[in-house]
Amino acid sequence: MAYSSEADDLRPSEAAVERARRAATSAGLTRQAFLRRSAGSVLGVTSLAAFLTACGSAGTAGTGSAAVGSPPAHPTGTLRIALPGAVDSLDPTIAESVGDLAIITSIFESLVTFDAGYRALAPSLATRWHVSDDAREWVFTLRDGVRFHDGATFDASAVRKNFEYVLRPSDPYGFLFGTPVIDDSDPSVVRFTYKTPFPDLGHNLTLASGISSPKVLGSHPAKADKQVARQHVGTGPFRFVSERAGQSVTLAAFDGHWGEKPHIETLVFNVIPEESARVSALQAGDVDLVLQVAPLAARSLRSDPRLAVHESPSWSTACLMPVCDMKPFDDPRVRQAMAYAIDRKTIVEKLLLGTAALDDSMFPPGIQGYHVPATAYAHDPQKARQLLKDAGYGGTVPVRMSVRSDAVLASEISQALVAQLNAVGFATTSEVLDPAVFEADKSLPRPKYQLHWNEWGWVTGGPFHLTLGALAAQCHYRNPRYDALVARVVVTPDGRARERLIADAIDVWANDVAWITLWVPKRLDASIATLQHYQAPPNVFTKLGTSYISGSA
Amino acid sequence: MKRYIATRLGQGLLVVFGAITISFVLASMAGNPIDARYANISPAARAQLLHQYGYDKPLLERYVSYVGGVAHGDFGPSIGSPTGALTRVAEALPYTLILVFAAMATASLIALASATFGAIRRGSRIDAWVRNGFVALQGIPEFFAGLVLVLLFAVVLGWLPSFGATGPASYVLPVIALSLPLVATLTRLLRSQLLDVLGADFVVALRAKGLSERDIVLRHGLRNAGPPLITYLALQLGWLLGGTIIVEVVFGIPGIGSLVVSATRARDMAVVQAIVVVVAVGYVLFNLFADLAVRAVDPRVRSAT
């Protein structure tokens, strides 16, 4: 029986939704916030450096406030967005940073996207799709009448060329799409055929697969790196106009967009590397939107009636990750002690100022397969001490912890974690490391640091860190039962059977304390109060196609 | 004179060659940027990227190739950018030069005025206030000064832009932030030079001839105090060229300071190395110009060399 592309069939089961709703409500979230949960961070999966390991939250599902006024009849006005760093790459297949991806999301589109509530996949450049029973074949029906910004026609051939490009040997993220045979014999249909089941294609297509114009890719797409790096031509609501190196990127509304026409005439992305300078620029009226403000800055911005703070949950998790085959964390009791030692509620309240939600699952609500494990570890220092004694650690347990320097409140949170761990008998020292040094240490067979804390972005909306084994690999976690369950998840098509397998894997994970989820950060963006219909996605792909500035007509 | 310039340029080339070598060695010690940017990618992708950026070659071969490339103005490809490393630096350099020269000019003018005033009115209460005020200025970190200036003049008063390099107005605050620490040092240096000169025998003679203190300071004192000041300015220019990082990051100026931060984060070592070499060349040239200026101003130096 083939799966249809109707959204119902690809949504989590009702039971899973209900369980998540109860969990979210008990965590103090409203129904609206739960439905619009979104998180994104652009951190890498184990296999990917910065891309899949979340570093600070990115992208929010955007609760947004009720829109005021109506959109202008024609694209009007300029929206100035503050970027946290210079543009590294606008190649949709390799871009990693929040800023780069905000630009890319405006220029490029993929075959699928998420619906407005970020609960299910929705049509984009493909109007519908079928997945075979065994998830070896995906057939996408392409949208008619779509043109690229340079006038080229969007068809199956364009899709095939793009996948030839993204699957080139030097692309670091091509593995997200497996090794399909792509059939573009019908210009309106593209068929992906795999030798083994590949159920995650749909979700993975929301990532690193923005479709570039075939004119840019030329006749040898696999060698089109330089062209794609220079020319940014997609089908999105905005077209690339210019870049001033290190300074700004300008996009203009694309009148020929197949969907809802953009309401803003010009987007200007300005590079302001220093965070407090970005906030000052917003307060001074020099920019209109700042992505990812810190909790303390958000608190002060809320009191300014000219500004609005957009807060919503993200699809990322902050994790404390022990190296499970190195002392002392090779003993599960020590890992349990670690879990009991952490007072997550205090950190969220005092340091994050309430801008995160507690969660015991492996990944946040809203991610396909979300399941709250039966085993949970509430703050219990006494139990932690007892467990360490039982494990034979009568004195102190030396532990070296590392954290990425670009994590939100890296120093402050790591100090809190150190204090809480040391209060139960660990002798923890912590170092804040440059991101590349941090990632390099984690990938060593014997890392220098036995404990890491980091954020992970489940940016595809699916459990891809689970199926790719990223977190487990970085924690050196091996459990035959867990590994077998994950191996089955990888090849099981979406549906109740897969959800059961994921739930079982999460239960084993929680029991073993392979790593712990500390909290689910919220995404905080700040803008002028007149920016309407702003909805940041749960992943890092900030969409501006339907936003407008009231009073700008 | 020509021989003097040629000798100095030759020495400068040695300095630049040293900078090229040291930057290459340090960048190599940091590991290859492919592994730093893309940890745990597939072996095939890793091999392809290492080959693409030349990191699959032995160290000595890479060094020889690098030095050869630099001699032709090719610092290698910039990772993640379609342009070469030197092109990226060349695009960023003008912003830094504007900032540096404007800050130096501002600091020099203020220092000249205050040091001259201090020399003429030495020992007075106003002179003491000015000197103590500058000491306080010198203690203000650029980062703090920059943020306070933005808060006051951009956010509260709304007089000036808070970031960017979009026009003359956008340079006012960063130039102030960069010049504040310089003013104090320059003032102290120039004032002490002037006081030294004013204590010389020939000045006694000038006073005996009936020249006013103001004329003595302006016509004779400044000229004699000039050579050490010119040397100091040249050293400061070179230092500033590589030291604008904080101000550029705070104010979003797309100069080489911002570029070195973003390139380091992105492990774009070709760009980092290119910046190191460009700054070294700047040091050499500024010092050469300073020496020539001192020769022009001080006849004692001309006859000695």
Side-chain angles (χ1 to χ4, degrees):
Chain A
M1 180 175 69
Y3 281 86
S4 84
S5 61
E6 294 300 323
D8 283 343
D9 292 333
L10 292 174
R11 274 190 293 215
S13 68
E14 293 302 323
V17 169
E18 178 57 20
R19 280 198 297 278
R21 187 201 64 77
R22 280 202 294 269
T25 307
S26 70
L29 294 167
T30 64
R31 172 176 167 78
Q32 195 168 30
F34 164 65
L35 284 175
R36 292 192 185 171
R37 276 182 175 280
S38 57
S41 62
V42 204
L43 297 190
V45 169
T46 298
S47 313
L48 313 176
F51 188 88
L52 297 174
T53 341
C55 212
S57 54
T60 42
T63 50
S65 48
V68 170
S70 53
H74 301 286
T76 308
T78 299
L79 184 71
R80 301 160 300 171
I81 305 110
L83 293 181
V87 171
D88 189 35
S89 173
L90 293 181
D91 181 335
T93 68
I94 63 175
E96 296 179 344
S97 72
V98 171
D100 293 358
L101 289 167
I103 300 171
I104 278 168
T105 309
S106 298
I107 299 173
F108 299 97
E109 295 168 312
S110 184
L111 295 177
V112 299
T113 184
F114 286 103
D115 64 12
Y118 288 91
R119 294 182 62 206
L121 293 176
S124 180
L125 293 178
T127 55
R128 60 196 306 267
W129 55 96
H130 286 269
V131 188
S132 63
D133 286 353
D134 58 2
R136 284 174 205 248
E137 187 178 80
W138 290 71
V139 181
F140 294 87
T141 303
L142 303 182
R143 191 176 296 277
D144 280 333
V146 176
R147 293 229 164 239
F148 289 91
H149 301 149
D150 59 5
T153 304
F154 169 71
D155 58 14
S157 167
V159 175
R160 179 189 53 73
K161 280 189 169 182
N162 271 272
F163 277 89
E164 272 188 46
Y165 177 65
V166 80
L167 293 170
R168 67 193 185 283
S170 62
D171 190 284
Y173 307 123
F175 69 87
L176 285 170
F177 310 105
T179 49
V181 170
I182 301 175
D183 174 17
D184 63 339
S185 51
D186 182 341
S188 301
V189 172
V190 69
R191 193 182 309 264
F192 290 75
T193 307
Y194 293 88
K195 285 185 185 160
T196 53
F198 201 81
D200 290 319
L201 178 64
H203 277 100
N204 289 358
L205 280 172
T206 62
L207 196 64
S209 62
I211 307 284
S212 289
S213 167
K215 287 185 184 174
V216 172
L217 296 173
S219 50
H220 299 287
K223 294 180 182 173
D225 305 62
K226 286 199 169 75
Q227 293 92 293
V228 176
R230 285 197 164 93
Q231 301 172 65
H232 319 298
V233 183
T235 59
F238 294 92
R239 59 180 175 81
F240 178 83
V241 173
S242 63
E243 179 182 356
R244 296 175 71 184
Q247 216 169 340
S248 64
V249 171
T250 303
L251 309 182
F254 176 47
D255 290 339
H257 187 242
W258 58 267
E260 184 178 346
K261 302 288 183 282
H263 305 303
I264 297 175
E265 189 178 2
T266 310
L267 299 180
V268 179
F269 294 83
N270 293 296
V271 177
I272 310 179
E274 168 55 35
E275 197 210 333
S276 48
R278 290 196 292 279
V279 171
S280 295
L282 182 67
Q283 292 172 311
D286 291 334
V287 297
D288 305 308
L289 173 64
V290 177
L291 306 179
Q292 292 188 318
V293 295
L296 198 58
R299 191 157 73 170
S300 73
L301 290 174
R302 279 184 219 273
S303 60
D304 191 331
R306 303 168 303 154
L307 305 174
V309 174
H310 309 271
E311 174 181 318
S312 55
S314 66
W315 278 352
S316 64
T317 49
C319 304
L320 195 57
M321 302 159 56
V323 180
C324 297
D325 63 355
M326 278 176 69
K327 281 195 179 311
F329 296 112
D330 55 347
D331 189 328
R333 290 170 294 185
V334 177
R335 298 199 298 268
Q336 287 172 344
M338 171 193 75
Y340 281 120
I342 305 299
D343 182 1
R344 298 177 289 160
K345 188 163 175 286
T346 299
I347 294 177
V348 166
E349 281 174 8
K350 302 295 182 199
L351 291 180
L352 294 169
L353 305 178
T355 59
L358 297 177
D359 203 290
D360 293 313
S361 181
M362 184 191 287
F363 41 81
I367 303 300
Q368 191 189 39
Y370 174 77
H371 165 76
V372 180
T375 315
Y377 298 90
H379 178 54
D380 193 336
Q382 206 151 344
K383 206 177 249 186
R385 285 188 203 99
Q386 188 57 48
L387 281 162
L388 283 180
K389 273 201 193 122
D390 295 344
Y393 289 98
T396 53
V397 187
V399 168
R400 298 185 69 173
M401 183 173 81
S402 69
V403 59
R404 279 176 72 121
S405 61
D406 52 358
V408 173
L409 298 175
S411 285
E412 294 85 345
I413 290 177
S414 59
Q415 282 174 35
L417 292 170
V418 164
Q420 289 173 358
L421 288 167
N422 292 353
V424 303
F426 290 97
T428 316
T429 54
S430 172
E431 278 189 59
V432 177
L433 300 178
D434 172 82
V437 175
F438 176 86
E439 297 298 334
D441 179 71
K442 280 202 296 180
S443 61
L444 293 174
R446 303 287 295 171
K448 189 173 151 193
Y449 300 89
Q450 302 109 317
L451 193 60
H452 309 93
W453 89 259
N454 197 14
E455 285 187 17
W456 288 77
W458 303 78
V459 294
T460 66
F464 75 135
H465 291 310
L466 170 77
T467 54
L468 291 170
L471 275 154
Q474 289 209 357
C475 294
H476 298 206
Y477 171 53
R478 289 172 202 91
N479 176 316
R481 182 150 178 256
Y482 176 85
D483 295 342
L485 284 165
V486 170
R488 288 175 62 195
V489 169
V490 169
V491 296
T492 303
D494 285 341
R496 285 188 169 66
R498 197 179 204 220
E499 283 179 20
R500 272 201 303 274
L501 289 168
I502 292 172
D504 289 344
I506 290 175
D507 284 333
V508 172
W509 160 80
N511 216 41
D512 277 350
V513 197
W515 64 90
I516 63 170
T517 296
L518 293 170
W519 50 77
V520 174
K522 291 181 185 173
R523 161 78 172 245
L524 300 166
D525 292 351
S527 73
I528 50 175
T530 49
L531 179 63
Q532 307 300 329
H533 225 275
Y534 174 67
Q535 184 184 26
N539 42 32
V540 291
F541 305 109
T542 306
K543 293 182 183 175
L544 296 164
T546 57
S547 303
Y548 62 94
I549 301 171
S550 57
S552 64
Chain B
M1 177 70 156
K2 283 181 189 171
R3 196 165 64 177
Y4 175 77
I5 293 175
T7 307
R8 291 303 309 275
L9 282 175
Q11 290 168 353
L13 274 175
L14 284 175
V15 169
V16 172
F17 181 75
I20 291 170
T21 303
I22 290 171
S23 66
F24 178 86
V25 167
L26 288 175
S28 300
M29 285 169 62
N32 79 69
I34 305 304
D35 289 339
R37 278 170 74 95
Y38 309 113
N40 298 316
I41 56 173
S42 70
R46 180 177 180 272
Q48 180 79 16
L49 286 168
L50 286 175
H51 177 72
Q52 188 175 332
Y53 291 99
Y55 287 97
D56 55 344
K57 299 191 178 79
L59 186 66
L60 191 57
E61 188 181 334
R62 278 202 297 118
Y63 173 68
V64 171
S65 168
Y66 177 68
V67 172
V70 169
H72 292 95
D74 178 11
F75 283 75
S78 167
I79 287 181
S81 167
T83 56
L86 189 62
T87 305
R88 289 191 73 188
V89 176
E91 285 169 350
L93 189 59
Y95 297 98
T96 300
L97 289 176
I98 292 173
L99 192 57
V100 162
F101 282 109
M104 186 58 76
T106 304
S108 300
L109 285 171
I110 298 174
L112 200 65
S114 52
T116 307
F117 175 83
I120 294 171
R121 299 284 187 94
R122 57 191 175 279
S124 69
R125 198 177 293 178
I126 296 178
D127 175 44
W129 286 346
V130 169
R131 276 189 291 123
N132 291 333
F134 283 148
V135 166
L137 278 180
Q138 193 174 15
I140 299 176
E142 290 165 357
F143 184 90
F144 179 75
L147 291 176
V148 167
L149 287 169
V150 165
L151 274 172
L152 180 58
F153 292 102
V155 178
V156 173
L157 295 171
W159 288 352
L160 294 164
S162 60
F163 75 94
T166 47
S170 59
Y171 279 96
V172 172
L173 294 180
V175 164
I176 294 174
L178 201 55
S179 61
L180 278 178
L182 285 175
V183 167
T185 313
L186 278 175
T187 302
R188 264 212 325 271
L189 175 71
L190 189 53
R191 184 174 179 278
S192 76
Q193 289 293 320
L194 281 172
L195 291 178
D196 273 347
V197 168
L198 292 176
D201 291 342
F202 79 92
V203 171
V204 176
L206 289 172
R207 286 197 188 104
K209 278 174 70 174
L211 252 65
S212 71
E213 202 63 21
R214 190 166 159 273
D215 283 341
I216 291 171
V217 168
L218 291 176
R219 286 166 55 188
H220 299 278
L222 282 176
R223 186 164 178 188
N224 282 277
L229 183 67
I230 292 171
T231 307
Y232 179 78
L233 284 175
L235 287 172
Q236 281 297 111
L237 268 176
W239 178 83
L240 275 178
L241 194 60
T244 55
I245 291 177
I246 291 174
V247 167
E248 286 186 11
V249 166
V250 169
F251 289 96
I253 306 280
I256 58 173
S258 290
L259 182 60
V260 81
V261 170
S262 62
T264 305
R265 281 190 181 145
R267 291 301 188 273
D268 196 345
M269 302 316 292
V271 170
V272 175
Q273 288 169 239
I275 291 172
V276 169
V277 172
V278 163
V279 172
V281 168
Y283 253 110
V284 166
L285 290 176
F286 289 146
N287 273 281
L288 176 61
F289 291 145
D291 287 345
L292 293 174
V294 168
R295 276 171 61 91
V297 166
D298 193 341
R300 295 168 295 181
V301 174
R302 271 201 301 275
S303 55
T305 57

